[in-house]
Amino acid sequence: MSKLPADYRSPTPHLSAATIASLPQVVRPHPLDPLAVRSSVSLSEATSLLSQSVSLNRVAPGAPTTVLHRHLVDEEWIYILSGRGTAVFETLSSDMTHESQCAGRFGGKDEVGLEEVPVGPGDFFGHLANGRAHAMRAHPDAREDLVYLCGGARSERDVCEYPHIGKRLDIDRTGKERKNTYTDVKRGL
């Protein structure tokens, strides 16, 4: 029989569906958009993960999940469990896909605009650090909430840019409590 490592911590690595359903949901309105409200359960905190973040999120029909943003340090992923919505990405006019709709106005080749993609159960998104700004919203005519897993790296320090509203968030996780500092920056679009 093997021995547990010296730094073994007591939380279990397993969360049953019943346990997850019993975990407290935290209602998280976005500080930059009061309409972007999501209910979240941190699965990573419940299992004491230190370098990864995983949360189960729920957004009411018609609500945005967040403000269009990009992380400069941390990668982020999203997996849709149920409901319908629209993902929005910054994109170059030459990169538009045939499945998407143009939400921004393009004046010429390789200008930055917004691409909208319908999302539903089983869809996955991987967002690179310093990649395309992105956001999502639940479909306004949906009969059910948009439910998704969101996760990624949890570096000690990260920077989140909100290029379309000229804001920047510096995230500092080096202390006991996370410290968020918002600043104004030049708008990118």
Side-chain angles (χ1 to χ4, degrees), residues 51-130:
S51 63
Q52 294 291 309
S53 175
V54 180
S55 60
L56 175 61
N57 302 280
R58 178 178 299 276
V59 178
T65 60
T66 186
V67 175
L68 193 75
H69 71 286
R70 75 172 57 85
H71 293 269
L72 299 187
V73 178
D74 292 344
E75 291 183 334
E76 182 178 33
W77 57 264
I78 294 171
Y79 182 77
I80 309 296
L81 297 170
S82 63
R84 300 267 171 211
T86 302
V88 181
F89 308 99
E90 264 187 340
T91 192
L92 296 175
S93 57
S94 60
D95 290 340
M96 293 295 292
T97 67
H98 68 280
E99 298 176 5
S100 65
Q101 298 176 355
C102 177
R105 298 184 192 271
F106 294 107
K109 185 178 179 186
D110 287 341
E111 288 194 22
V112 175
L114 298 178
E115 179 179 11
E116 294 187 352
V117 178
V119 300
D123 288 349
F124 178 83
F125 300 94
H127 301 292
L128 296 172
N130 202 23

Side-chain angles (χ1 to χ4, degrees), residues 4-32:
L4 292 172
D7 63 349
Y8 169 79
R9 298 194 329 253
S10 61
T12 179
H14 173 253
L15 297 175
S16 68
T19 300
I20 292 169
S22 71
L23 292 172
Q25 289 191 13
V26 177
V27 177
R28 300 180 187 275
H30 197 286
L32 300 176

Side-chain angles (χ1 to χ4, degrees), residues 59-65 84-86 136-142 144-146:
V59 178
T65 60
R84 300 267 171 211
T86 302
M136 212 168 37
R137 67 179 172 273
H139 194 282
D141 298 328
E144 63 179 329
D145 292 347
L146 179 63

